[in-house]
Amino acid sequence: MKNLYIMCDGGFGNRLGALIPGLMIAKEMRRRAIISWPVTKWCECKFNDLFEEDPRLTIDEKTIDELFEEKKDAHFLIHANISTDKKVKIEKEYNIHSPDALKYIEELKSVDGDIVFTNHIVPKIISEEIVIRTLKELKLKKYIINEVERIAKSFPENIYGIHIRKTDFPESFLLDDNQVVKLITENPQEKFFVCSDDNETEDKFNKFENVIINKKESSVITKSNRFDISRPKDSVIDGIIDMLLLSRTLITNQNLQSTFLVFAIRYGKLNL
């Protein structure tokens, strides 16, 4: 069987944005999916730290540069050349977001060589129904689901969910801290689940009686600037727990630029 290599990089949401369509395209092309899931500062978790083992999947930890260099003569179905400084020269590149993407996929079915796929968001050519079905087939570790169940026991039937991003691109989100405080204080009869990638922010909102948070031991580490960060293993796992808890709420700030929020909405359709 011929291979399709799926490069999953960035944070967890971005990795799902590559993994889900990659698996779907591999199935459509009748190719074996080989998943590259490197341990990087954006996600210091191995694939099998987060997902149950699946004999159908082949996993390695090659970085972007390693995979792109090794497969530089392959056909690249990608959104951009994301090798460092574009140092790997790609000759056969097909833009997955092009209006011709479906035509590219159809043409690539007949090629004999390897295909490399990467992307950060699910392309519009793929239906949400198929995305949800594929997401359901990826089984998160039981300890993650069990922790979500434990915390969610404190949720009332209707609870509002708010995600406050404090690392990269916080200004693109719909609510700032002051707006969130106003929303919470003006609606004391309502319950809110507030989650953030910053522990100090969560601690600030945890002081309100109508707020529930997922108290964390680990946090995203910001170094010289908000893009120079490290997401230790425990903080990645806590972030996934937040995503699944958020999926059980009435999400207030549904910013579809955030892969974290987009997949929280999608997980909400699975009733995990």
Side-chain angles (χ1 to χ4, degrees):
M1 182 179 284
K2 293 178 284 189
N3 297 329
L4 185 141
Y5 295 83
I6 306 169
M7 168 49 65
C8 302
D9 196 33
F12 182 69
N14 284 6
R15 291 179 185 230
L16 286 180
L19 180 60
I20 299 298
L23 291 173
M24 295 159 65
I25 292 169
K27 185 176 181 179
E28 175 69 18
M29 292 184 174
R30 297 184 179 179
R31 284 177 174 258
R32 178 190 299 109
I34 299 179
I35 301 164
S36 290
W37 186 284
V39 175
T40 67
K41 68 178 184 178
W42 302 103
C43 176
E44 296 180 17
C45 271
K46 296 181 179 182
F47 184 89
N48 287 330
D49 290 332
L50 307 175
F51 295 100
E52 299 289 355
E53 290 190 19
D54 186 333
R56 300 171 299 171
L57 301 180
T58 301
I59 317 294
D60 64 43
E61 296 180 19
K62 291 175 183 173
T63 65
I64 293 169
D65 287 351
E66 288 170 345
L67 179 65
F68 277 36
E69 180 61 38
E70 180 183 317
K71 299 296 175 183
K72 61 186 177 184
D73 295 325
H75 300 266
F76 283 73
L77 185 61
I78 57 181
H79 66 295
N81 182 349
I82 55 174
S83 62
T84 304
D85 298 325
K86 298 185 179 180
K87 67 180 181 182
V88 179
K89 303 305 178 186
I90 298 171
E91 299 295 332
K92 292 169 280 191
E93 181 176 342
Y94 310 80
N95 190 324
I96 187 60
H97 294 295
S98 164
D100 295 322
L102 284 174
K103 184 180 78 171
Y104 296 153
I105 291 171
E106 193 62 32
E107 291 173 353
L108 289 170
K109 286 180 181 180
S110 61
V111 304
D112 291 327
D114 291 326
I115 297 173
V116 174
F117 174 83
T118 193
N119 190 40
H120 291 159
I121 59 174
V122 176
K124 293 180 180 178
I125 59 172
I126 299 174
S127 75
E128 273 298 297
E129 181 183 354
I130 300 175
V131 172
I132 299 301
R133 189 189 313 151
T134 306
L135 189 62
K136 188 175 183 179
E137 292 172 357
L138 286 168
K139 303 296 184 186
L140 287 163
K141 288 283 191 180
K142 288 182 179 177
Y143 76 87
I144 293 176
I145 301 300
N146 290 343
E147 183 63 8
V148 172
E149 293 290 348
R150 184 188 69 80
I151 298 169
K153 286 179 181 178
S154 63
F155 283 10
E157 184 175 353
N158 292 310
I159 180 171
Y160 291 91
I162 301 173
H163 175 232
I164 304 173
R165 189 158 178 157
K166 288 293 184 180
T167 52
D168 52 342
F169 304 112
E171 69 281 351
S172 67
F173 284 74
L174 301 179
L175 298 173
D176 63 26
D177 287 13
N178 291 332
Q179 290 171 307
V180 175
V181 168
K182 186 173 185 291
L183 181 63
I184 290 169
T185 55
E186 289 184 353
N187 295 277
Q189 76 285 0
E190 304 290 355
K191 280 284 190 179
F192 295 86
F193 170 68
V194 176
C195 59
S196 176
D197 51 6
D198 177 67
N199 283 4
E200 290 184 7
T201 299
E202 289 189 336
D203 288 342
K204 178 170 73 174
F205 286 99
N206 196 34
K207 295 174 183 177
F208 295 96
E209 291 186 1
N210 57 337
V211 168
I212 297 172
I213 69 162
N214 166 28
K215 185 67 177 175
K216 304 174 181 67
E217 297 298 327
S218 182
S219 180
V220 177
I221 299 169
T222 303
K223 299 176 183 178
S224 59
N225 61 69
R226 68 189 191 206
F227 294 101
D228 184 13
I229 65 171
S230 172
R231 291 190 178 103
K233 177 179 175 179
D234 287 347
S235 77
V236 174
I237 293 167
D238 279 332
I240 295 170
I241 291 169
D242 276 350
M243 179 187 286
L244 298 182
L245 289 168
L246 197 62
S247 78
R248 298 184 177 208
T249 70
L250 303 168
I251 300 175
T252 302
N253 53 336
Q254 294 193 11
N255 186 333
L256 300 184
Q257 293 179 330
S258 164
T259 54
F260 181 94
L261 281 171
V262 167
F263 277 101
I265 294 166
R266 286 173 171 147
Y267 270 117
K269 298 174 182 177
L270 297 181
N271 298 316
L272 289 179

